[in-house]
Amino acid sequence: MPPFDSARFTLWLPQLLCAVFLAILFLQSGLDKVVDWKGNLGWLTGHFSKSPLKGVVTPMLAVITLMELASGALSAAGAVALLVNGNPFLAYLGAVLSALSLLALFFGQRMAKEYAGAAVLVPYFVVTVAAVYLLRLA
């Protein structure tokens, strides 16, 4: 952790906050899909029943679950690395994978014509793009 009164601290703190935010967001979401696979699969099967993606719900759920877990794990490891040695690399990778995960979720919502659900993802995406930017500055 850089000294509180340093210019480096001004960048380090938002980097850390973004990494922790993304770790919480994606670890919770990914773990929920693992713990309640059947419930999520059932809901998503209905959600995509009238979309072109109706035949690939199970593989889509598997891919997004892996993406979310990897995003959360990289972001969490990145937060630890930022705390221990100030290195933002893992957090940067976590933020990039988080952005890709959100794009996949956004695509699914749009394909299902769930426009309100897609709109809810936009603030998360904005924070994630900010994290990518902030974490690359170091």
Side-chain angles (χ1 to χ4, degrees), residues 24-71:
I24 292 167
L25 175 67
F26 285 107
L27 284 174
Q28 184 280 325
S29 185
L31 289 172
D32 175 71
K33 287 174 178 62
V34 170
V35 170
D36 186 20
W37 179 266
K38 274 188 160 181
N40 279 284
L41 184 59
W43 185 85
L44 288 168
T45 300
H47 188 67
F48 287 106
S49 65
K50 296 178 182 164
S51 85
L53 302 175
K54 67 182 171 195
V56 293
V57 174
T58 302
M60 279 191 330
L61 179 57
V63 168
I64 199 66
T65 300
L66 291 173
M67 288 178 74
E68 288 183 348
L69 289 171
S71 298

Side-chain angles (χ1 to χ4, degrees), residues 21-136:
F21 177 85
L22 294 174
I24 292 167
L25 175 67
F26 285 107
L27 284 174
Q28 184 280 325
S29 185
L31 289 172
D32 175 71
K33 287 174 178 62
V34 170
V35 170
D36 186 20
W37 179 266
K38 274 188 160 181
N40 279 284
L41 184 59
W43 185 85
L44 288 168
T45 300
H47 188 67
F48 287 106
S49 65
K50 296 178 182 164
S51 85
L53 302 175
K54 67 182 171 195
V56 293
V57 174
T58 302
M60 279 191 330
L61 179 57
V63 168
I64 199 66
T65 300
L66 291 173
M67 288 178 74
E68 288 183 348
L69 289 171
S71 298
L74 280 169
S75 295
V80 171
L82 279 163
L83 283 168
V84 171
N85 61 16
N87 188 333
F89 183 68
L90 288 175
Y92 173 76
L93 293 178
V96 170
L97 188 54
S98 295
L100 294 173
S101 298
L102 286 165
L103 287 173
L105 291 166
F106 184 79
F107 173 77
Q109 293 290 62
R110 297 293 299 189
M111 291 300 291
K113 297 186 179 183
E114 179 56 43
Y115 301 118
V120 167
L121 296 172
V122 172
Y124 292 112
F125 188 70
V126 171
V127 170
T128 304
V129 170
V132 170
Y133 178 76
L134 288 169
L135 289 160
R136 190 61 186 119

